Amino acid sequence: MLNQALHYLKDYDDAEDVVQETLAKLWMAKERIQNAEKLSSYASVACKNTALSFLRKTQETISIEDITESTSGINPQTMLEENENQQKLEYFISRLSDKQRAIIKMRNVEGLSYSEIAQIIGATESSVRGIISKTRTILLKQMGGAIL
């Protein structure tokens, strides 16, 4: 579970906190877990949900480099424009729903596949594709048509 939490949080102390909270939740629900063979699956889902809740609470920002390939050049004008775009993108991402923000982070920052994201959030692959497409469209409109 620690590796799974680290995958989401990238901070060892935060990941330990998430694992500890997950173990506490599993302990409290031990009477409801009748099939011990499925404990690993329950633990994985609980850890994922706890980590995502933690991310929602901390509202991590996603940088423009995480969404687009870096095109930094030597030109100061280009650097200024990239900085402005970065600030805009961070602002608009902060206004997304927690679910949209988490899914965009999983896809564009962590590089997870659509099927991996679907498994993590308990949705179908097509719904994940739809959420990502809709979120990118929203960000494109808000950014004034800049390519994401």
Side-chain angles (χ1 to χ4, degrees), residues 96 100 133-143:
L96 293 172
Q100 288 173 318
S133 176
K134 181 179 177 182
T135 303
R136 286 179 178 163
T137 301
I138 290 168
L139 291 172
L140 273 172
K141 286 180 183 175
Q142 292 174 335
M143 292 290 292

Side-chain angles (χ1 to χ4, degrees), residues 1-11 14-22 25 43-60 98 102 105-106 110 120:
M1 286 193 303
L2 184 58
N3 285 336
Q4 183 180 16
L6 276 170
H7 177 76
Y8 291 106
L9 304 175
K10 309 294 187 226
D11 181 78
D14 291 341
E16 280 185 330
D17 291 344
V18 164
V19 170
Q20 186 174 6
E21 186 176 338
T22 302
K25 288 177 182 179
S44 178
V45 170
C47 185
K48 169 208 58 159
N49 290 338
T50 305
L52 291 177
S53 293
F54 183 86
L55 284 175
R56 277 191 293 273
K57 290 176 189 173
T58 59
Q59 295 192 2
E60 288 188 357
D98 293 336
K105 182 177 188 276
M106 284 186 269
E110 299 171 11
I120 290 168

Side-chain angles (χ1 to χ4, degrees), residues 30-98:
K30 67 182 180 222
E31 287 82 28
R32 293 182 289 175
I33 302 173
Q34 297 173 351
N35 189 347
E37 295 171 357
K38 294 186 178 180
L39 181 60
S40 177
S41 297
Y42 292 135
S44 178
V45 170
C47 185
K48 169 208 58 159
N49 290 338
T50 305
L52 291 177
S53 293
F54 183 86
L55 284 175
R56 277 191 293 273
K57 290 176 189 173
T58 59
Q59 295 192 2
E60 288 188 357
T61 60
I62 302 171
S63 69
I64 195 167
E65 287 83 18
D66 295 333
I67 302 296
T68 64
E69 291 185 8
S70 179
T71 58
S72 63
I74 300 171
N75 183 339
Q77 178 67 27
T78 302
M79 291 172 63
L80 179 62
E81 289 172 2
E82 284 182 5
N83 187 34
E84 289 174 358
N85 284 339
Q86 171 70 34
Q87 290 174 353
K88 281 183 190 178
L89 183 62
E90 287 175 2
Y91 172 74
F92 291 128
I93 288 175
S94 73
R95 295 181 61 202
L96 293 172
S97 72
D98 293 336

Side-chain angles (χ1 to χ4, degrees), residues 94-122:
S94 73
R95 295 181 61 202
L96 293 172
S97 72
D98 293 336
K99 185 176 185 178
Q100 288 173 318
R101 200 170 36 254
I103 290 173
I104 285 292
K105 182 177 188 276
M106 284 186 269
R107 178 68 182 159
N108 294 94
V109 177
E110 299 171 11
L112 297 179
S113 70
Y114 293 112
S115 62
E116 290 171 320
I117 296 169
Q119 185 179 16
I120 290 168
I121 67 169

